[in-house]
Structure formats: structure tokens, C-alpha cells
Amino acid sequence: LRVARVIGLPGDRVRQAGDVLELNSTQLLRERLGELSLGADAPPTGLVTYHEQLVDKGYLVFHDPDVRTLREETSYLAAGQHYLLCDNRDAEDCVDSRQLGAVAAEDLMGSPSHVLWSPAAPRIGFALFSRASIRYEGSEPTP
């Protein structure tokens, strides 16, 4: 079972070029916040945290600067197709539309309400569970 965010809906055009993500020719707003920390005594995660804005909803996205996700890809979504992206897009276990292609509506299961735990320490699920924080480089984003 994998959890990923729906980025594109039927009829949308999703374009990814390196770290730039476009939806219907409009670049999604992305603001660098700082580095994700798992706690005061924990070693740095190395994950850079961004606030990304999709239409009227904002959410956090994590990027590992040591992982190069340079790819250029454009997807045109037909009726019943959805484009999914993980929030921790550089994680080795991230499986989303970049690997699977567009996902049919009948294959979507629902929407998670909480992330409680993940067996992989650098994952955000574990981080939320164990006092994670973001070392902000500027001001905190407004929702």
C-alpha cells in the first residue's frame, strides 16, 4: 500500500522538468523552508523542506539534494486518469506516476487522515511521530 498526492486530474497536463512542476502550463509555487530535523539530538536528515501550493491547498514536499531527479516528462491525462506524486519524491521507496504512469480512478483508495508511523527513520511519518521540526530559513509559510 502506497500513499501519494493527486497532482493531476482527468484533462490536466502535468509537466516535470527537474525540480519544476507545472500543472496546465502554470508552475506550482514552491518556497524553500529549511531542513527537516528529527529532533535536537538526531543527526541532520539532509532533506530540504519546501511548501508547495497546488491550486488552493498547500503542503510540504521533501527533497534530498544528493539525489538527482533530473527528468523531463509531460503527461496528458485522459478521462478517468490521475497523476500521483509522493511528498518525499526522492525516497528510494517512492512509487508514483513517474514510475507507474497515470493511475485509473478505480485504483484510488481514498485519502489518509493521519500519518502515525513509518519503519524507515528518515521518512516523514516517523519524523512526525518523533518530534520532527523544520529549521526554517525564513518565516513559516502561510496556509
mmCIF file of all heavy atoms in Angstrom, residues 57-79:
data_model
loop_
_atom_site.group_PDB
_atom_site.id
_atom_site.type_symbol
_atom_site.label_atom_id
_atom_site.label_comp_id
_atom_site.label_asym_id
_atom_site.label_seq_id
_atom_site.Cartn_x
_atom_site.Cartn_y
_atom_site.Cartn_z
ATOM 1 N N LYS A 57 -4.574 24.570 -2.106
ATOM 2 C CA LYS A 57 -4.075 23.805 -0.966
ATOM 3 C C LYS A 57 -2.557 23.800 -0.948
ATOM 4 O O LYS A 57 -1.916 23.588 -1.967
ATOM 5 C CB LYS A 57 -4.583 22.368 -1.023
ATOM 6 C CG LYS A 57 -6.089 22.270 -0.924
ATOM 7 C CD LYS A 57 -6.524 20.843 -0.796
ATOM 8 C CE LYS A 57 -8.002 20.712 -0.925
ATOM 9 N NZ LYS A 57 -8.792 20.895 0.178
ATOM 10 N N GLY A 58 -2.001 24.039 0.224
ATOM 11 C CA GLY A 58 -0.563 23.981 0.406
ATOM 12 C C GLY A 58 -0.181 22.722 1.172
ATOM 13 O O GLY A 58 -0.974 22.195 1.948
ATOM 14 N N TYR A 59 1.032 22.239 0.966
ATOM 15 C CA TYR A 59 1.509 21.033 1.628
ATOM 16 C C TYR A 59 3.028 21.060 1.606
ATOM 17 O O TYR A 59 3.651 21.864 0.921
ATOM 18 C CB TYR A 59 0.967 19.778 0.937
ATOM 19 C CG TYR A 59 1.145 19.798 -0.557
ATOM 20 C CD1 TYR A 59 2.298 19.281 -1.153
ATOM 21 C CD2 TYR A 59 0.185 20.368 -1.378
ATOM 22 C CE1 TYR A 59 2.476 19.340 -2.527
ATOM 23 C CE2 TYR A 59 0.356 20.428 -2.747
ATOM 24 C CZ TYR A 59 1.500 19.902 -3.309
ATOM 25 O OH TYR A 59 1.687 19.964 -4.665
ATOM 26 N N LEU A 60 3.644 20.180 2.376
ATOM 27 C CA LEU A 60 5.092 20.102 2.443
ATOM 28 C C LEU A 60 5.621 19.049 1.471
ATOM 29 O O LEU A 60 5.017 17.993 1.304
ATOM 30 C CB LEU A 60 5.550 19.755 3.861
ATOM 31 C CG LEU A 60 5.186 20.763 4.942
ATOM 32 C CD1 LEU A 60 5.678 20.277 6.307
ATOM 33 C CD2 LEU A 60 5.752 22.132 4.628
ATOM 34 N N VAL A 61 6.753 19.361 0.858
ATOM 35 C CA VAL A 61 7.446 18.447 -0.049
ATOM 36 C C VAL A 61 8.890 18.380 0.425
ATOM 37 O O VAL A 61 9.454 19.387 0.858
ATOM 38 C CB VAL A 61 7.393 18.961 -1.506
ATOM 39 C CG1 VAL A 61 8.225 18.101 -2.429
ATOM 40 C CG2 VAL A 61 5.954 19.022 -1.988
ATOM 41 N N PHE A 62 9.488 17.194 0.341
ATOM 42 C CA PHE A 62 10.845 16.992 0.815
ATOM 43 C C PHE A 62 11.750 16.612 -0.342
ATOM 44 O O PHE A 62 11.377 15.816 -1.195
ATOM 45 C CB PHE A 62 10.855 15.914 1.901
ATOM 46 C CG PHE A 62 9.911 16.249 3.005
ATOM 47 C CD1 PHE A 62 8.617 15.764 3.006
ATOM 48 C CD2 PHE A 62 10.293 17.102 4.021
ATOM 49 C CE1 PHE A 62 7.725 16.102 4.004
ATOM 50 C CE2 PHE A 62 9.403 17.457 5.017
ATOM 51 C CZ PHE A 62 8.126 16.952 5.019
ATOM 52 N N HIS A 63 12.952 17.194 -0.353
ATOM 53 C CA HIS A 63 13.901 16.953 -1.439
ATOM 54 C C HIS A 63 15.257 16.608 -0.842
ATOM 55 O O HIS A 63 15.725 17.280 0.084
ATOM 56 C CB HIS A 63 14.014 18.194 -2.322
ATOM 57 C CG HIS A 63 15.102 18.107 -3.346
ATOM 58 N ND1 HIS A 63 15.076 17.211 -4.392
ATOM 59 C CD2 HIS A 63 16.253 18.792 -3.474
ATOM 60 C CE1 HIS A 63 16.166 17.355 -5.116
ATOM 61 N NE2 HIS A 63 16.898 18.307 -4.578
ATOM 62 N N ASP A 64 15.879 15.577 -1.379
ATOM 63 C CA ASP A 64 17.229 15.192 -0.990
ATOM 64 C C ASP A 64 18.182 15.782 -2.017
ATOM 65 O O ASP A 64 18.209 15.338 -3.167
ATOM 66 C CB ASP A 64 17.350 13.673 -0.961
ATOM 67 C CG ASP A 64 18.707 13.192 -0.482
ATOM 68 O OD1 ASP A 64 19.666 14.001 -0.477
ATOM 69 O OD2 ASP A 64 18.818 12.015 -0.121
ATOM 70 N N PRO A 65 18.979 16.792 -1.650
ATOM 71 C CA PRO A 65 19.854 17.445 -2.629
ATOM 72 C C PRO A 65 20.926 16.525 -3.199
ATOM 73 O O PRO A 65 21.503 16.815 -4.245
ATOM 74 C CB PRO A 65 20.495 18.601 -1.858
ATOM 75 C CG PRO A 65 20.064 18.481 -0.460
ATOM 76 C CD PRO A 65 19.046 17.410 -0.344
ATOM 77 N N ASP A 66 21.178 15.382 -2.533
ATOM 78 C CA ASP A 66 22.166 14.428 -3.041
ATOM 79 C C ASP A 66 21.593 13.513 -4.119
ATOM 80 O O ASP A 66 22.319 12.767 -4.756
ATOM 81 C CB ASP A 66 22.726 13.573 -1.904
ATOM 82 C CG ASP A 66 23.512 14.411 -0.911
ATOM 83 O OD1 ASP A 66 24.088 15.441 -1.333
ATOM 84 O OD2 ASP A 66 23.543 14.044 0.277
ATOM 85 N N VAL A 67 20.283 13.540 -4.304
ATOM 86 C CA VAL A 67 19.633 12.706 -5.312
ATOM 87 C C VAL A 67 19.263 13.584 -6.496
ATOM 88 O O VAL A 67 18.608 14.608 -6.333
ATOM 89 C CB VAL A 67 18.366 12.022 -4.742
ATOM 90 C CG1 VAL A 67 17.640 11.243 -5.805
ATOM 91 C CG2 VAL A 67 18.733 11.132 -3.564
ATOM 92 N N ARG A 68 19.673 13.201 -7.661
ATOM 93 C CA ARG A 68 19.367 13.973 -8.863
ATOM 94 C C ARG A 68 18.151 13.355 -9.552
ATOM 95 O O ARG A 68 18.197 12.231 -10.005
ATOM 96 C CB ARG A 68 20.551 13.975 -9.838
ATOM 97 C CG ARG A 68 21.787 14.592 -9.251
ATOM 98 C CD ARG A 68 21.597 16.106 -9.152
ATOM 99 N NE ARG A 68 22.718 16.689 -8.442
ATOM 100 C CZ ARG A 68 22.584 17.490 -7.406
ATOM 101 N NH1 ARG A 68 21.399 17.818 -6.977
ATOM 102 N NH2 ARG A 68 23.627 18.001 -6.810
ATOM 103 N N THR A 69 17.066 14.104 -9.546
ATOM 104 C CA THR A 69 15.841 13.626 -10.185
ATOM 105 C C THR A 69 15.617 14.385 -11.490
ATOM 106 O O THR A 69 14.501 14.725 -11.831
ATOM 107 C CB THR A 69 14.630 13.806 -9.260
ATOM 108 O OG1 THR A 69 14.551 15.173 -8.888
ATOM 109 C CG2 THR A 69 14.729 12.928 -8.042
ATOM 110 N N LEU A 70 16.703 14.667 -12.192
ATOM 111 C CA LEU A 70 16.569 15.406 -13.440
ATOM 112 C C LEU A 70 15.896 14.538 -14.487
ATOM 113 O O LEU A 70 16.449 13.541 -14.939
ATOM 114 C CB LEU A 70 17.945 15.868 -13.937
ATOM 115 C CG LEU A 70 18.675 16.830 -13.023
ATOM 116 C CD1 LEU A 70 20.059 17.126 -13.587
ATOM 117 C CD2 LEU A 70 17.891 18.115 -12.863
ATOM 118 N N ARG A 71 14.728 14.888 -14.804
ATOM 119 C CA ARG A 71 13.981 14.208 -15.859
ATOM 120 C C ARG A 71 13.020 15.221 -16.437
ATOM 121 O O ARG A 71 12.618 16.159 -15.775
ATOM 122 C CB ARG A 71 13.239 12.985 -15.342
ATOM 123 C CG ARG A 71 12.139 13.323 -14.352
ATOM 124 C CD ARG A 71 11.348 12.124 -13.948
ATOM 125 N NE ARG A 71 12.240 11.102 -13.430
ATOM 126 C CZ ARG A 71 11.859 9.978 -12.886
ATOM 127 N NH1 ARG A 71 10.599 9.717 -12.772
ATOM 128 N NH2 ARG A 71 12.696 9.107 -12.443
ATOM 129 N N GLU A 72 12.704 15.025 -17.654
ATOM 130 C CA GLU A 72 11.701 15.880 -18.268
ATOM 131 C C GLU A 72 10.623 14.969 -18.796
ATOM 132 O O GLU A 72 10.890 14.027 -19.537
ATOM 133 C CB GLU A 72 12.300 16.730 -19.383
ATOM 134 C CG GLU A 72 11.303 17.748 -19.874
ATOM 135 C CD GLU A 72 11.959 18.912 -20.587
ATOM 136 O OE1 GLU A 72 13.137 19.186 -20.348
ATOM 137 O OE2 GLU A 72 11.256 19.533 -21.389
ATOM 138 N N GLU A 73 9.403 15.261 -18.373
ATOM 139 C CA GLU A 73 8.303 14.377 -18.701
ATOM 140 C C GLU A 73 7.013 15.190 -18.737
ATOM 141 O O GLU A 73 6.794 16.047 -17.887
ATOM 142 C CB GLU A 73 8.225 13.297 -17.614
ATOM 143 C CG GLU A 73 7.123 12.303 -17.768
ATOM 144 C CD GLU A 73 7.223 11.249 -16.679
ATOM 145 O OE1 GLU A 73 7.911 10.253 -16.888
ATOM 146 O OE2 GLU A 73 6.614 11.458 -15.613
ATOM 147 N N THR A 74 6.192 14.938 -19.719
ATOM 148 C CA THR A 74 4.881 15.580 -19.813
ATOM 149 C C THR A 74 3.830 14.494 -19.937
ATOM 150 O O THR A 74 3.979 13.565 -20.733
ATOM 151 C CB THR A 74 4.805 16.526 -21.027
ATOM 152 O OG1 THR A 74 5.836 17.512 -20.898
ATOM 153 C CG2 THR A 74 3.464 17.218 -21.089
ATOM 154 N N SER A 75 2.786 14.604 -19.129
ATOM 155 C CA SER A 75 1.690 13.638 -19.154
ATOM 156 C C SER A 75 0.380 14.366 -19.438
ATOM 157 O O SER A 75 0.080 15.377 -18.804
ATOM 158 C CB SER A 75 1.580 12.908 -17.818
ATOM 159 O OG SER A 75 2.723 12.160 -17.563
ATOM 160 N N TYR A 76 -0.363 13.851 -20.384
ATOM 161 C CA TYR A 76 -1.694 14.354 -20.693
ATOM 162 C C TYR A 76 -2.681 13.331 -20.151
ATOM 163 O O TYR A 76 -2.684 12.173 -20.574
ATOM 164 C CB TYR A 76 -1.875 14.520 -22.202
ATOM 165 C CG TYR A 76 -0.926 15.544 -22.786
ATOM 166 C CD1 TYR A 76 0.338 15.174 -23.245
ATOM 167 C CD2 TYR A 76 -1.281 16.887 -22.865
ATOM 168 C CE1 TYR A 76 1.218 16.111 -23.768
ATOM 169 C CE2 TYR A 76 -0.409 17.829 -23.383
ATOM 170 C CZ TYR A 76 0.832 17.440 -23.832
ATOM 171 O OH TYR A 76 1.699 18.376 -24.344
ATOM 172 N N LEU A 77 -3.523 13.742 -19.226
ATOM 173 C CA LEU A 77 -4.407 12.809 -18.536
ATOM 174 C C LEU A 77 -5.751 12.699 -19.235
ATOM 175 O O LEU A 77 -6.455 13.683 -19.416
ATOM 176 C CB LEU A 77 -4.585 13.250 -17.088
ATOM 177 C CG LEU A 77 -3.271 13.373 -16.309
ATOM 178 C CD1 LEU A 77 -3.524 13.942 -14.922
ATOM 179 C CD2 LEU A 77 -2.556 12.040 -16.232
ATOM 180 N N ALA A 78 -6.064 11.479 -19.605
ATOM 181 C CA ALA A 78 -7.343 11.187 -20.268
ATOM 182 C C ALA A 78 -8.435 11.018 -19.208
ATOM 183 O O ALA A 78 -8.167 11.046 -18.004
ATOM 184 C CB ALA A 78 -7.198 9.919 -21.099
ATOM 185 N N ALA A 79 -9.647 10.822 -19.657
ATOM 186 C CA ALA A 79 -10.777 10.607 -18.755
ATOM 187 C C ALA A 79 -10.460 9.455 -17.808
ATOM 188 O O ALA A 79 -9.964 8.409 -18.226
ATOM 189 C CB ALA A 79 -12.040 10.310 -19.550
#
